[in-house]
Amino acid sequence: MDLSPEQLYHWFGLNRALFLWLSGIHFPAWDWAVGVLAAADPAHFPWTVAAVLLAAYLFPRLASAGDAIVFAIGFAPLMLASAHFKAVFGLPRNADLVDAGGSFALLLKDGDGLPSAPAAFVFLLAASLSPGVPPPVRFFLWTFAVLAGLSRIAAGTALPADVAGGAFLGIAVAMFLRAALRLIARGG
């Protein structure tokens, strides 16, 4: 069986089915949450970094300065990698999704797919900060990242494959930077 990148991106129809299912779920609390969580966007990076650095300064037992630095440094390579992968893959979305989806599906634009930069951003946040925080905060960070990713799908701005790619990229950048900073700190 010969697999094309488009077949892998569309997950043999599962990408479309999950998108239609999630964008078709509507009840007041979920619609409100989708609107709030979908606002987690890289455009808010300066405010997010300021909040993370302030938390690390004010609550050193709650947020590690090293973890905050991983997050702050990670944004630039994350956005560069995201733009690079979008240009390299250039995977088309299914045009029929715009007409077939739920009420939010009209927001899904062609292009700008894999990976979802907002999903990459929230997963970079969770992966950067979670090693040095207490378990309840870690649970909150990962829950926020997952719900923010799902909200991108439910709001009709990303497909499941876009969010999964963004999540993978955000986690990978945090892990790479953490390893690089450890190596630099050891002098090697």
Coordinates of all heavy atoms in Angstrom, one line a residue, residues 60-115:
P60 N 8.8 31.0 44.0 CA 9.8 30.2 43.5 C 9.6 28.7 43.8 O 10.1 27.8 43.0 CB 11.1 30.7 44.2 CG 10.6 31.5 45.3 CD 9.2 32.0 45.0
R61 N 8.8 28.4 44.8 CA 8.5 26.9 45.1 C 7.4 26.4 44.2 O 7.2 25.2 44.0 CB 8.1 26.7 46.5 CG 9.3 26.9 47.5 CD 9.0 26.6 48.9 NE 7.6 26.5 49.2 CZ 7.2 26.2 50.4 NH1 8.1 26.1 51.4 NH2 5.9 26.1 50.7
L62 N 6.7 27.3 43.6 CA 5.6 26.9 42.7 C 6.0 26.9 41.2 O 5.5 26.1 40.5 CB 4.4 27.9 42.9 CG 3.1 27.5 42.3 CD1 2.5 26.3 43.1 CD2 2.1 28.7 42.3
A63 N 6.9 27.8 40.8 CA 7.3 27.9 39.4 C 8.8 28.1 39.4 O 9.3 29.0 39.9 CB 6.6 29.0 38.7
S64 N 9.5 27.2 38.7 CA 11.0 27.2 38.6 C 11.4 28.3 37.6 O 10.8 28.4 36.5 CB 11.5 25.8 38.2 OG 12.6 25.9 37.5
A65 N 12.4 29.0 37.9 CA 13.0 30.0 37.0 C 13.5 29.3 35.8 O 13.4 29.8 34.7 CB 14.0 30.9 37.7
G66 N 14.2 28.2 36.0 CA 14.7 27.4 34.8 C 13.6 27.0 33.8 O 13.8 27.1 32.6
D67 N 12.5 26.6 34.4 CA 11.3 26.2 33.5 C 10.8 27.4 32.8 O 10.4 27.3 31.6 CB 10.3 25.5 34.4 CG 10.7 24.2 34.9 OD1 11.7 23.6 34.4 OD2 10.1 23.7 35.9
A68 N 10.7 28.5 33.5 CA 10.2 29.7 32.9 C 11.2 30.2 31.7 O 10.7 30.6 30.7 CB 10.1 30.9 33.9
I69 N 12.4 30.0 31.9 CA 13.4 30.3 30.9 C 13.2 29.4 29.7 O 13.3 29.8 28.5 CB 14.9 30.3 31.4 CG1 15.0 31.5 32.4 CG2 15.9 30.3 30.3 CD1 16.3 31.4 33.2
V70 N 13.0 28.1 29.9 CA 12.8 27.2 28.8 C 11.6 27.7 28.0 O 11.6 27.7 26.7 CB 12.6 25.7 29.3 CG1 12.0 24.8 28.2 CG2 13.8 25.2 29.9
F71 N 10.5 28.1 28.6 CA 9.3 28.6 27.9 C 9.7 29.8 27.2 O 9.3 30.0 26.0 CB 8.2 28.8 28.9 CG 7.0 29.4 28.3 CD1 6.3 28.8 27.3 CD2 6.6 30.7 28.7 CE1 5.2 29.4 26.7 CE2 5.5 31.3 28.1 CZ 4.8 30.7 27.1
A72 N 10.3 30.8 27.8 CA 10.6 32.1 27.2 C 11.5 31.9 26.0 O 11.3 32.5 24.9 CB 11.3 33.0 28.2
I73 N 12.5 31.1 26.1 CA 13.5 30.9 25.0 C 12.8 30.0 23.9 O 13.1 30.2 22.7 CB 14.8 30.2 25.5 CG1 15.5 31.1 26.4 CG2 15.6 29.7 24.3 CD1 16.7 30.4 27.0
G74 N 11.9 29.1 24.3 CA 11.3 28.2 23.3 C 10.4 28.8 22.3 O 10.1 28.2 21.2
F75 N 9.9 30.0 22.6 CA 8.9 30.6 21.7 C 9.4 30.8 20.3 O 8.8 30.5 19.3 CB 8.3 31.9 22.2 CG 7.3 32.5 21.4 CD1 6.0 31.9 21.3 CD2 7.5 33.6 20.6 CE1 5.0 32.5 20.6 CE2 6.6 34.2 19.8 CZ 5.3 33.6 19.8
A76 N 10.6 31.4 20.1 CA 11.2 31.7 18.8 C 11.4 30.5 18.0 O 10.9 30.4 16.8 CB 12.4 32.6 19.0
P77 N 12.1 29.5 18.5 CA 12.3 28.3 17.7 C 11.0 27.6 17.4 O 10.8 27.0 16.3 CB 13.2 27.4 18.5 CG 13.4 27.9 19.8 CD 12.9 29.4 19.7
L78 N 10.0 27.6 18.3 CA 8.7 27.0 18.1 C 8.0 27.7 16.9 O 7.5 27.0 16.0 CB 7.9 27.1 19.3 CG 6.5 26.5 19.2 CD1 6.6 25.0 19.3 CD2 5.6 27.0 20.3
M79 N 8.0 29.0 16.9 CA 7.3 29.7 15.8 C 8.0 29.5 14.5 O 7.4 29.3 13.4 CB 7.1 31.1 16.1 CG 6.1 31.4 17.2 SD 4.4 30.7 16.9 CE 4.2 29.4 18.0
L80 N 9.3 29.5 14.5 CA 10.1 29.3 13.3 C 9.9 27.8 12.7 O 9.6 27.6 11.5 CB 11.6 29.5 13.5 CG 12.0 30.9 13.7 CD1 13.5 31.0 14.1 CD2 11.8 31.7 12.4
A81 N 9.9 26.9 13.6 CA 9.6 25.5 13.2 C 8.2 25.3 12.7 O 8.0 24.6 11.7 CB 9.9 24.5 14.4
S82 N 7.3 25.9 13.4 CA 5.9 25.9 12.9 C 5.7 26.4 11.5 O 5.1 25.8 10.6 CB 5.0 26.6 13.9 OG 3.6 26.6 13.5
A83 N 6.3 27.6 11.2 CA 6.2 28.2 9.9 C 6.9 27.3 8.9 O 6.4 27.1 7.8 CB 6.8 29.6 9.9
H84 N 8.1 26.8 9.3 CA 8.8 25.9 8.4 C 8.0 24.6 8.0 O 7.9 24.3 6.8 CB 10.1 25.5 9.0 CG 10.9 24.5 8.2 ND1 11.6 24.8 7.1 CD2 11.1 23.2 8.4 CE1 12.2 23.8 6.6 NE2 11.9 22.7 7.4
F85 N 7.4 24.0 9.0 CA 6.6 22.8 8.7 C 5.4 23.1 7.8 O 5.0 22.3 7.0 CB 6.2 22.1 10.0 CG 7.4 21.4 10.6 CD1 7.7 21.6 12.0 CD2 8.2 20.5 9.9 CE1 8.7 20.9 12.6 CE2 9.3 19.9 10.5 CZ 9.5 20.1 11.9
K86 N 4.8 24.2 8.1 CA 3.6 24.6 7.2 C 4.1 24.8 5.8 O 3.4 24.3 4.9 CB 3.0 25.9 7.8 CG 2.2 25.7 9.0 CD 1.7 27.1 9.5 CE 1.1 27.0 10.8 NZ -0.2 26.5 10.9
A87 N 5.2 25.4 5.6 CA 5.7 25.6 4.2 C 6.2 24.3 3.6 O 5.9 24.1 2.4 CB 6.9 26.6 4.3
V88 N 6.8 23.5 4.4 CA 7.3 22.2 3.8 C 6.2 21.2 3.5 O 6.2 20.7 2.4 CB 8.3 21.5 4.8 CG1 8.6 20.1 4.4 CG2 9.6 22.3 4.9
F89 N 5.3 21.1 4.4 CA 4.2 20.1 4.2 C 3.2 20.6 3.3 O 2.7 19.9 2.4 CB 3.6 19.7 5.5 CG 4.5 18.8 6.4 CD1 4.7 19.2 7.7 CD2 5.1 17.7 5.9 CE1 5.6 18.5 8.5 CE2 5.9 16.9 6.7 CZ 6.2 17.3 8.0
G90 N 2.7 21.9 3.5 CA 1.7 22.5 2.6 C 0.5 21.6 2.4 O 0.0 21.5 1.3
L91 N 0.1 20.8 3.4 CA -1.0 19.9 3.2 C -2.3 20.5 3.0 O -2.7 21.3 3.9 CB -1.0 18.9 4.4 CG 0.3 18.0 4.4 CD1 0.3 17.3 5.8 CD2 0.3 17.0 3.3
P92 N -3.1 20.1 2.0 CA -4.4 20.8 1.8 C -5.4 20.2 2.8 O -5.4 19.0 3.1 CB -4.7 20.4 0.4 CG -4.0 19.1 0.2 CD -2.8 19.2 1.0
R93 N -6.4 21.0 3.1 CA -7.5 20.6 4.0 C -8.6 20.1 3.0 O -8.7 20.5 1.9 CB -8.0 21.7 4.9 CG -6.9 22.0 5.9 CD -7.5 23.1 6.8 NE -6.7 23.2 8.0 CZ -6.7 24.3 8.7 NH1 -7.3 25.3 8.4 NH2 -5.9 24.3 9.8
N94 N -9.5 19.3 3.5 CA -10.7 18.9 2.7 C -11.6 20.1 2.6 O -12.1 20.7 3.5 CB -11.4 17.8 3.4 CG -10.7 16.5 3.4 OD1 -9.8 16.3 2.6 ND2 -11.1 15.6 4.3
A95 N -11.8 20.5 1.3 CA -12.7 21.6 1.1 C -14.1 21.4 1.5 O -14.9 22.3 1.9 CB -12.7 21.9 -0.4
D96 N -14.6 20.1 1.6 CA -15.9 19.8 1.9 C -16.2 20.1 3.4 O -17.3 20.1 3.9 CB -16.3 18.4 1.6 CG -15.5 17.3 2.3 OD1 -14.4 17.7 2.7 OD2 -16.0 16.2 2.4
L97 N -15.2 20.2 4.2 CA -15.4 20.5 5.7 C -16.0 21.8 5.9 O -16.8 22.0 6.9 CB -14.0 20.4 6.4 CG -13.4 19.0 6.6 CD1 -12.1 19.2 7.2 CD2 -14.3 18.2 7.4
V98 N -15.7 22.8 5.1 CA -16.3 24.1 5.3 C -17.8 24.1 5.3 O -18.5 24.7 6.0 CB -15.7 25.1 4.3 CG1 -16.4 26.5 4.4 CG2 -14.2 25.3 4.5
D99 N -18.4 23.3 4.4 CA -19.8 23.2 4.2 C -20.5 22.2 5.1 O -21.6 22.3 5.4 CB -20.2 23.0 2.7 CG -19.7 24.1 1.8 OD1 -19.7 25.3 2.3 OD2 -19.2 23.8 0.7
A100 N -19.7 21.1 5.4 CA -20.3 20.0 6.1 C -20.3 20.0 7.6 O -21.0 19.3 8.2 CB -19.6 18.7 5.6
G101 N -19.5 20.9 8.2 CA -19.3 20.9 9.6 C -20.4 21.6 10.4 O -21.4 22.0 9.8
G102 N -20.1 21.7 11.7 CA -21.0 22.4 12.6 C -21.0 23.9 12.3 O -20.4 24.4 11.4
S103 N -21.6 24.7 13.2 CA -21.7 26.1 13.0 C -20.4 26.8 13.0 O -20.2 27.9 12.4 CB -22.6 26.7 14.0 OG -22.1 26.5 15.3
F104 N -19.4 26.2 13.7 CA -18.1 26.8 13.7 C -17.2 26.5 12.5 O -16.1 27.1 12.3 CB -17.3 26.4 15.0 CG -17.9 27.0 16.3 CD1 -18.4 26.2 17.2 CD2 -17.9 28.3 16.5 CE1 -18.9 26.7 18.4 CE2 -18.4 28.9 17.6 CZ -18.9 28.0 18.6
A105 N -17.6 25.5 11.7 CA -16.8 25.0 10.6 C -16.4 26.1 9.6 O -15.5 25.9 8.8 CB -17.4 23.8 10.0
L106 N -17.2 27.1 9.5 CA -17.0 28.2 8.5 C -15.6 28.9 8.8 O -15.1 29.6 7.9 CB -18.1 29.2 8.5 CG -19.5 28.6 8.1 CD1 -20.5 29.7 8.3 CD2 -19.4 28.1 6.7
L107 N -15.1 28.8 9.9 CA -13.8 29.5 10.2 C -12.6 28.7 9.7 O -11.5 29.3 9.6 CB -13.7 29.6 11.8 CG -14.8 30.4 12.5 CD1 -14.5 30.4 14.0 CD2 -14.8 31.8 12.0
L108 N -12.8 27.5 9.3 CA -11.6 26.7 8.8 C -11.2 27.2 7.5 O -12.0 27.1 6.5 CB -12.1 25.2 8.8 CG -11.0 24.2 8.5 CD1 -10.0 24.2 9.7 CD2 -11.6 22.8 8.4
K109 N -10.0 27.7 7.4 CA -9.5 28.2 6.1 C -8.6 27.1 5.5 O -8.0 26.3 6.1 CB -8.6 29.4 6.4 CG -9.4 30.6 7.0 CD -8.4 31.7 7.2 CE -7.4 31.3 8.2 NZ -6.8 32.3 9.0
D110 N -8.5 27.2 4.1 CA -7.6 26.3 3.4 C -6.2 26.8 3.7 O -5.9 28.0 3.8 CB -7.9 26.3 1.9 CG -7.3 25.1 1.2 OD1 -7.0 24.1 1.9 OD2 -7.1 25.2 0.0
G111 N -5.3 25.8 3.8 CA -3.9 26.2 4.1 C -3.7 26.4 5.6 O -4.6 26.1 6.4
D112 N -2.6 26.9 6.0 CA -2.3 27.1 7.4 C -2.7 26.0 8.3 O -3.3 26.2 9.4 CB -3.1 28.4 7.9 CG -2.3 29.6 7.8 OD1 -1.1 29.5 7.3 OD2 -2.8 30.7 8.1
G113 N -2.4 24.8 7.9 CA -2.8 23.6 8.7 C -1.8 23.1 9.6 O -1.5 23.7 10.7
L114 N -1.1 22.0 9.3 CA -0.2 21.3 10.1 C 1.1 22.1 10.3 O 1.7 22.5 9.2 CB 0.1 20.0 9.5 CG 1.0 19.0 10.3 CD1 0.3 18.5 11.5 CD2 1.3 17.8 9.4
P115 N 1.6 22.3 11.5 CA 1.0 22.2 12.8 C 0.2 23.4 13.2 O 0.5 24.5 12.7 CB 2.2 21.9 13.7 CG 3.3 22.8 13.0 CD 3.0 22.7 11.6

